[in-house]
Amino acid sequence: MKKKGLVIFGNGNHCKIIKQEIQKQNNLKILAIYNYYAGKISLLKEFKNKVNLNSFSKFNAITAIGDNKKRQSLVKIVETKFKKCKWITLISKDSILAKNVKVGIGTVIVSGAVINTNSSIGDHCIINTSSSIDHDAKIGNFSTVAPKAALAGNVKIGNNVFIGMNSSIKEKMSINNNVIVGAMSFVNKDCMKNCTYFGIPARKIKKNKS
């Protein structure tokens, strides 16, 4: 089987996870990796003499930035600089997804994640190691579900939301845009936009920048 070339944008710790998941795929190979720092991208030295992305009719790409807002900024930069970029969706072979789950472009679903029936995940999200998303959950764009976080059925998550490690979200809760839920929290009430919540049960502890 001929492998598809893939460009990774971002070379921090999350890139290690991306590489790990690519190695499990039998249809992908890494063409190049770009570093991202202070709002700028730069091709890593080992690829500089091999890759000219502007010569491609199109190329596949994925981001490797854990921070939601930085990831969103990076996507805008790449789409401006490389008009021929095509974002792919990377789903680990060691994850479990119901057949009718919808997953947006640029999203990464990591080993051990479970997503149940009739759920949908937006664009450029991270569904991290051993997280659990139950039936009919809806997650917006540029959001992250951290390792071992659990979302019950019919939970609604907005854009630019971070659900911390080992947190639990009660069924039918709504978590609005730009919310952070701290690690090991239990959310049993809806969360207002642009706020950070923490605790058991989770309480609003501060306002976030919009």
Side-chain angles (χ1 to χ4, degrees):
M1 178 184 295
K2 186 176 180 180
K3 294 187 177 183
K4 297 179 182 178
L6 177 65
V7 178
I8 300 174
F9 289 96
N11 191 39
N13 289 328
H14 188 57
C15 186
K16 299 174 185 177
I17 302 297
I18 299 294
K19 289 178 180 178
Q20 167 189 289
E21 297 302 343
I22 290 172
Q23 289 173 356
K24 298 176 186 177
Q25 309 282 336
N26 57 10
N27 64 336
L28 294 174
K29 64 178 180 180
I30 298 172
L31 284 177
I33 299 174
Y34 278 74
N35 193 26
Y36 176 63
Y37 179 73
K40 296 181 180 180
I41 58 175
S42 57
L43 186 62
L44 297 190
K45 289 182 180 179
E46 56 263 41
F47 297 102
K48 283 188 176 179
N49 296 323
K50 303 177 184 178
V51 177
N52 177 11
L53 295 183
N54 289 319
S55 68
F56 288 72
S57 58
K58 64 179 180 179
F59 65 90
N60 299 308
I62 197 78
T63 60
I65 296 291
D67 182 275
N68 290 337
K69 291 185 177 180
K70 289 181 180 179
R71 187 163 67 253
Q72 187 170 15
S73 175
L74 174 59
V75 166
K76 290 180 180 179
I77 291 169
V78 172
E79 290 180 345
T80 299
K81 184 176 178 62
F82 300 110
K83 302 296 185 182
K84 300 171 183 177
C85 171
K86 178 185 177 183
W87 299 111
I88 69 160
T89 300
L90 184 60
I91 300 176
S92 174
K93 289 184 174 294
D94 296 322
S95 61
I96 300 173
L97 275 67
K99 290 182 178 180
N100 61 353
V101 169
K102 297 178 181 178
V103 183
I105 60 169
T107 286
V108 177
I109 299 176
V110 183
S111 297
V114 177
I115 307 176
N116 277 327
T117 186
N118 204 39
S119 292
S120 65
I121 315 296
D123 298 338
H124 299 284
C125 293
I126 299 171
I127 309 301
N128 225 318
T129 311
S130 299
S131 56
S132 175
I133 298 172
D134 212 347
H135 66 88
D136 299 287
K138 310 296 180 189
I139 297 178
N141 303 322
F142 296 99
S143 289
T144 296
V145 179
K148 294 189 176 181
L151 280 60
N154 287 289
V155 167
K156 304 294 186 281
I157 304 288
N159 301 322
N160 293 299
V161 171
F162 180 85
I163 307 297
M165 185 173 62
N166 277 325
S167 290
S168 299
I169 314 298
K170 186 176 180 288
E171 67 272 9
K172 299 182 181 180
M173 295 297 99
S174 292
I175 298 178
N176 286 286
N177 297 341
N178 196 33
V179 164
I180 296 171
V181 175
M184 301 183 72
S185 295
F186 173 58
V187 175
N188 63 350
K189 293 182 179 179
D190 293 346
C191 296
M192 297 169 54
K193 67 179 181 180
N194 302 326
C195 293
T196 294
Y197 290 80
F198 178 73
I200 303 174
R203 299 183 185 278
K204 185 176 72 173
I205 60 172
K206 69 176 184 178
K207 291 278 289 184
N208 304 330
K209 292 181 180 180
S210 59

